[in-house]
């Protein structure tokens, strides 16, 4: 028996001893119906014809009811998902189970390990597809309802680890098998807080029917694209799939950055680069080319992807998650590194992995599963193929040449900051580029305002703020842009009774709104007071005042128009 199995069985033995010492056993379930008296009469002669007819009718009714109930049961069983059935089966079969929260892609991949793992270790394995796990985990874990293991992007680690939600992991000699960059991304305060399994980043896709050789500079990219636009062969030279992460390679090409680095290579939250000269230069480049008609003014991710797949644009900054769509569309493409401007453009890189819930009931087993079952070349290969991403395990080479191209570009990528302060950046950073792309503000002004908001958030000046960001803010004239959770003009006033309210004048129109706390999006509420819920819609029939009232107990926002 190998060391891995001895290790896990030793843990199980200890858990079993504790379990037996606490429990005295259980009694078998009894059949209550066995004690019930028979209801039929002793002799048939005593029954009358009427009683026989009544019994026959009752029997027919009972048979019909049983048939209907059976049909209903069958329909209910068909409606239940396979995941639920497997969860119930596993929970009832094993005394100890490990629950993993994963995503749609990797849930079936990890389930391939289920049968062999359960047979070898006599531990149940439950794998659940939880799309909003990043938001649910910090709520469920402290309540004792979280998973034992959760799949996470590395930029969520800082906040979770500081909150005591993640348990450290020791890979021992296996650490040498991993991409050092991946391990660095999953290390916080000197502790490895999980096992990384893939590395992802964006690259430059280009249409090989339109472009023979990829551009080396952004000026060349625009020049090539402009020729195609002017000739009617393309709609735009390129489109942006977003304003922050997706546009970062263009921003870094002009010297833009988010946070500077300390001497030890860690990010310095006191060195914010959103209003740096390089970021402003990137903003000017984008705004100029949007006005010239060579960069689309849309920053919708799906729209940009569809435009490239349809051959409407020759260039697109995108990630490996678009490969299936591009292959299905039949668009001819190749993958290249990003162009330069004043320096080489580089993307952010994200490192995905699995972490152990520090507040779970099976922390030691979860850590062991990560180091002894997940951290193997066989499992890592399955995860790489299943996620369609380059592996964090050095010896695993995905046979897909496109992924090899992404892996090569990842060597120069910047790890997305995993420090808690990064949560204060996304909203204002994205809003600034939306404003300058739409020509509503000059890049220097938009980015200066964004940087001020971010520094205030990091410094805690917005602590306690209850705001109602939405599509109405700019129209009211209270804020420079929409969906700004730190705009002081749209903050509600504390009424001293657990409610917050304000009345603002705004023009007629249809709007959306949410409640955001502390000047950011970390805690926000939507329809029916749901955390991270849907946007609340409201209509202003005629120009006039609108009153917003938020109840901090129910988390529900009430919107009153017309008075």
């Amino acid at each position: 028996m190998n060391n891995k199995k001895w290790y896990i069985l030793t843990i199980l033995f200890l858990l079993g001893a504790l379990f037996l010492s606490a429990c005295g056993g259980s009694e078998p379930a009894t059949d209550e119906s066995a004690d019930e008296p028979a209801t039929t009469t002793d002799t048939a002669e005593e029954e009358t014809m009427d009683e026989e007819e009544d019994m026959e009718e009752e029997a027919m009714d009972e048979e019909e009811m049983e048939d209907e109930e059976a049909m209903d049961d069958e329909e209910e069983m068909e409606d239940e998902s396979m995941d639920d059935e497997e969860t119930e089966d596993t929970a009832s079969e094993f005394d100890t189970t490990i629950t993993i929260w994963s995503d749609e892609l990797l849930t079936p991949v990890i389930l391939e390990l289920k049968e062999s793992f359960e047979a070898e270790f006599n531990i149940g394995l439950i794998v659940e597809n939880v799309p909003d796990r990043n938001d649910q985990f910090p709520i469920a874990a402290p309540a004792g309802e979280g998973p034992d293991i959760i799949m996470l992007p590395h930029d969520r680690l800082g906040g979770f680890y500081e909150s005591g939600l993640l348990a450290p992991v020791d890979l021992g000699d296996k650490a040498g098998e991993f991409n050092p960059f991946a391990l660095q991304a999953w290390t916080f305060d000197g502790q490895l807080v999980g096992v990384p399994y893939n590395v992802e980043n964006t690259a430059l896709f280009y249409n090989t029917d339109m472009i023979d050789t990829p551009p080396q500079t952004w000026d060349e990219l625009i020049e090539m694209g402009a020729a195609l636009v002017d000739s009617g062969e393309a709609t735009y030279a390129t489109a942006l799939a977003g304003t922050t992460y997706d546009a970062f390679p263009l921003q870094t090409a002009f010297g833009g950055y988010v946070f500077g680095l300390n001497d030890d290579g860690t990010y310095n939250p006191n060195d914010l680069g959103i209003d740096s000269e390089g970021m402003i230069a990137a903003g000017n480049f984008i705004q100029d080319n949007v006005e010239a008609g060579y960069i689309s003014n849309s920053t919708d991710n799906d729209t940009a992807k569809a435009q490239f797949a349809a051959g409407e644009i020759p260039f697109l900054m995108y990630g490996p998650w678009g490969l299936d769509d591009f292959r299905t569309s039949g668009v001819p493409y190749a993958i290249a590194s990003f162009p330069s401007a004043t320096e080489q453009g580089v993307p952010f890189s994200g490192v995905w992995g699995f972490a152990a819930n520090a507040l779970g009931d099976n922390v030691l087993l979860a850590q062991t599963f990560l180091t002894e079952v997940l951290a193997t070349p066989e499992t890592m290969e399955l995860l790489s193929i299943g996620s369609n991403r380059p592996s964090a395990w050095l010896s695993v080479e995905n046979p897909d040449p496109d992924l090899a191209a992404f892996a090569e570009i990842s060597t120069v990528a910047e790890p997305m900051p995993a420090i808690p302060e990064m949560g204060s950046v996304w909203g204002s950073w994205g809003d600034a580029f939306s404003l300058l792309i739409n020509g509503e503000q000059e890049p220097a002004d938009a980015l200066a305002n964004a940087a001020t908001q971010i520094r205030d958030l990091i410094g805690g000046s917005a602590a306690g703020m209850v705001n109602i960001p939405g599509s109405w803010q700019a129209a009211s004239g209270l804020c420079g842009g929409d969906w700004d959770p730190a705009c002081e003009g749209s903050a509600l006033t504390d009424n001293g009774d657990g409610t917050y309210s304000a009345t603002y004048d705004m023009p007629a129109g249809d709007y959306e709104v949410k409640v955001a706390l502390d000047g950011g999006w970390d805690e926000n509420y939507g329809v029916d007071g749901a955390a991270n819920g849907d946007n609340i819609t409201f209509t202003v029939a005629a120009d006039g005042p609108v009153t917003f009232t938020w109840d901090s107990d129910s988390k529900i926002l009430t919107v009153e128009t017309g008075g």
Side-chain angles (χ1 to χ4, degrees):
M1 187 180 293
N2 58 37
N3 292 334
K4 174 178 69 176
K5 186 171 181 179
W6 272 116
Y7 186 45
I8 295 181
L9 289 177
T10 300
I11 296 169
L12 281 175
F13 176 80
L14 294 173
L15 290 174
L18 290 173
F19 177 79
L20 290 173
S21 66
C23 304
S26 60
E27 296 180 359
T30 60
D31 185 1
E32 295 179 359
S33 64
D35 296 330
E36 294 178 359
T39 58
T40 56
T41 59
D42 293 335
T43 61
E45 289 78 10
E46 294 176 359
E47 297 175 352
T48 65
M49 290 295 292
D50 290 338
E51 290 172 333
E52 289 176 351
E53 291 174 358
D54 290 339
M55 291 175 66
E56 289 175 357
E57 290 175 0
E58 290 174 0
M60 292 176 64
D61 290 339
E62 289 175 357
E63 289 176 359
E64 291 176 358
M65 291 177 64
E66 289 174 356
D67 290 341
E68 290 176 359
E69 290 174 355
M71 291 176 64
D72 290 339
D73 290 342
E74 289 176 358
E75 291 174 356
E76 290 175 1
M77 289 175 66
E78 290 175 355
D79 290 339
E80 291 179 355
S81 67
M82 292 298 295
D83 288 344
D84 291 339
E85 292 174 0
E86 291 177 358
T87 297
E88 292 173 1
D89 291 343
T90 301
S92 62
E93 185 178 352
F94 297 97
D95 292 332
T96 304
T97 60
I98 293 176
T99 299
I100 300 176
W101 280 4
S102 184
D103 69 355
E104 184 178 9
L105 283 176
L106 289 189
T107 292
V109 174
I110 302 173
L111 283 172
E112 293 182 23
L113 308 173
K114 178 181 174 70
E115 184 176 352
S116 61
F117 174 78
E118 292 178 343
E120 185 174 0
F121 301 110
N122 198 33
I123 301 173
L125 181 62
I126 298 172
V127 188
E128 298 175 338
N129 172 24
V130 183
D132 59 345
R133 61 194 173 281
N134 291 347
D135 297 322
Q136 292 301 319
F137 181 66
I139 300 171
E145 299 175 356
D148 297 296
I149 296 171
I150 181 171
M151 185 182 84
L152 291 170
H154 83 273
D155 60 299
R156 299 301 295 262
L157 299 178
F160 287 170
Y161 186 73
E162 281 196 339
S163 299
L165 301 181
L166 302 180
V169 171
D170 184 4
L171 286 172
D173 293 340
K174 287 185 177 181
E177 303 291 342
F178 283 84
N179 182 332
F181 163 76
L183 291 182
Q184 178 189 358
W186 270 70
T187 299
F188 191 79
D189 281 351
Q191 295 280 352
L192 182 66
V193 294
V195 175
Y197 69 87
N198 77 24
V199 179
E200 67 177 16
N201 50 269
T202 57
L204 181 69
F205 283 84
Y206 66 96
N207 186 315
T208 54
D209 275 354
M210 296 178 169
I211 303 296
D212 293 328
T213 304
Q216 298 301 304
T217 68
W218 278 98
D219 284 339
E220 288 180 8
L221 184 147
I222 293 298
E223 182 180 351
M224 293 177 181
L228 293 168
V229 172
D230 295 342
S231 67
E233 297 175 69
T235 305
Y236 299 101
T238 189
L240 300 177
T243 54
T244 54
Y245 174 91
D246 300 280
F248 191 64
L250 192 159
Q251 296 164 357
T252 56
F254 286 85
Y257 65 99
V258 175
F259 289 116
L261 298 176
N262 295 311
D263 292 339
D264 62 359
T266 59
Y267 282 107
N268 179 2
N270 296 317
D271 181 7
L272 181 69
I274 297 299
D275 57 349
S276 64
E277 291 184 6
M279 196 68 83
I280 294 172
N284 286 324
F285 179 86
I286 293 172
Q287 188 178 73
D288 290 345
N289 283 287
V290 167
E291 293 175 354
Y294 297 135
I295 297 180
S296 171
N297 66 353
S298 169
T299 56
D300 180 73
N301 190 287
D302 289 336
T303 299
K305 180 175 64 175
Q307 287 176 323
F308 184 80
E312 296 178 13
I313 56 175
F315 301 105
L316 180 65
M317 295 181 287
Y318 216 74
W321 45 89
L323 287 172
D324 288 342
D325 288 320
F326 297 153
R327 289 166 178 170
T328 300
S329 73
V331 62
Y333 68 85
I335 297 172
S337 298
F338 291 105
S340 63
T342 59
E343 55 191 78
Q344 178 66 47
V346 298
F348 264 147
S349 64
V351 181
W352 286 81
F354 290 89
N357 177 5
L359 304 181
D361 294 331
N362 304 307
V363 178
L364 188 55
L365 281 176
Q367 292 169 316
T368 304
F369 181 90
L370 293 179
T371 59
E372 304 301 322
V373 178
L374 198 69
T376 65
E378 296 80 10
T379 303
M380 286 292 171
E381 184 174 10
L382 286 175
L383 296 175
S384 176
I385 295 173
S387 62
N388 210 22
R389 306 287 195 279
S391 178
W393 190 277
L394 292 173
S395 64
V396 173
E397 295 183 3
N398 195 300
D400 189 328
D402 288 338
L403 293 185
F406 275 102
E408 182 177 351
I409 295 168
S410 74
T411 60
V412 298
E414 293 185 11
M416 194 182 305
I419 56 177
E421 290 82 1
M422 189 64 189
S424 300
V425 173
W426 296 110
S428 297
W429 179 18
D431 289 344
F433 272 89
S434 293
L435 290 170
L436 67 88
I437 287 170
N438 292 323
E440 297 178 38
Q441 285 188 3
E442 290 300 311
D445 295 334
L447 292 164
N449 291 337
T452 297
Q453 293 170 0
I454 294 168
R455 291 188 179 100
D456 286 345
L457 287 175
I458 292 175
S461 67
M465 175 185 285
V466 175
N467 215 319
I468 46 173
S471 61
W472 66 275
Q473 287 174 294
S476 70
L478 297 169
C479 305
D482 290 330
W483 298 106
D484 182 356
C487 173
E488 295 182 0
S490 58
L492 301 183
T493 300
D494 186 352
N495 297 321
D497 59 358
T499 65
Y500 297 75
S501 63
T503 299
Y504 301 119
D505 289 327
M506 65 184 67
D510 295 324
Y511 301 102
E512 296 183 350
V513 66
K514 293 187 79 170
V515 175
L517 305 188
D518 300 325
W521 288 108
D522 287 348
E523 185 176 358
N524 69 85
Y525 300 95
V527 172
D528 296 329
N532 302 298
D534 294 334
N535 297 340
I536 301 163
T537 61
F538 66 97
T539 298
V540 180
D543 296 0
V546 178
T547 298
F548 300 89
T549 304
W550 184 64
D551 187 318
S552 60
D553 291 329
S554 68
K555 314 301 184 187
I556 292 176
L557 177 70
T558 302
V559 183
E560 299 177 79
T561 61

